[in-house]
Amino acid sequence: MGTVLILVVAAFFLLMGLYALAVPAALGQPFDIRIESPVARSEIRAVYGGFGLAIAALLGAAAADVGDIRPGAVVAVAAALGGMALGRIISRLLGDATGFYPNWFYCGVEIVAAGLLLLAR
């Protein structure tokens, strides 16, 4: 069951990464981020695209337990997801109120994905 949970989170990162590489401007639209210049598209492709693919590959290797990396890899990715959720919560505490979508929706996704990874380790 743990391997399946890791692969579910890996699939999320894979899809996000591919989407960011293919249509970077669309990735920012729900967050009201305008990605119009080549440098902005490059940044989205790097941070969301390349990073997403790298995390998907890392989690794929963790699911296969290549080199006994599973515990460390899943805890590291869970910590990164937890940090993302924490950043959203801190932003709210600092006065940046937002509606449910997209910020709180993705906060929930990040918390659930982090929890799944911790269960799977």
Side-chain angles (χ1 to χ4, degrees):
M1 181 59 145
T3 299
V4 171
L5 296 177
I6 294 170
L7 291 173
V8 166
V9 177
F12 170 78
F13 277 102
L14 176 65
L15 293 173
M16 179 190 70
L18 292 172
Y19 186 65
L21 290 172
V23 285
L27 191 76
Q29 286 176 345
F31 299 95
D32 200 25
I33 300 170
R34 306 217 189 299
I35 302 159
E36 299 170 352
S37 69
V39 71
R41 286 189 295 276
S42 178
E43 182 68 8
I44 294 300
R45 285 183 172 124
V47 174
Y48 290 90
F51 179 77
L53 295 181
I55 294 297
L58 176 65
L59 290 174
D65 206 17
V66 173
D68 296 326
I69 66 166
R70 184 176 182 140
V74 297
V75 168
V77 176
L81 286 162
M84 293 160 69
L86 181 62
R88 295 178 194 280
I89 292 166
I90 290 170
S91 184
R92 175 60 186 106
L93 293 173
L94 293 174
D96 291 333
T98 61
F100 174 76
Y101 186 83
N103 287 323
W104 296 112
F105 172 79
Y106 284 107
C107 184
V109 168
E110 291 153 1
I111 291 168
V112 167
L116 291 176
L117 290 175
L118 293 175
L119 285 173
R121 63 187 168 133

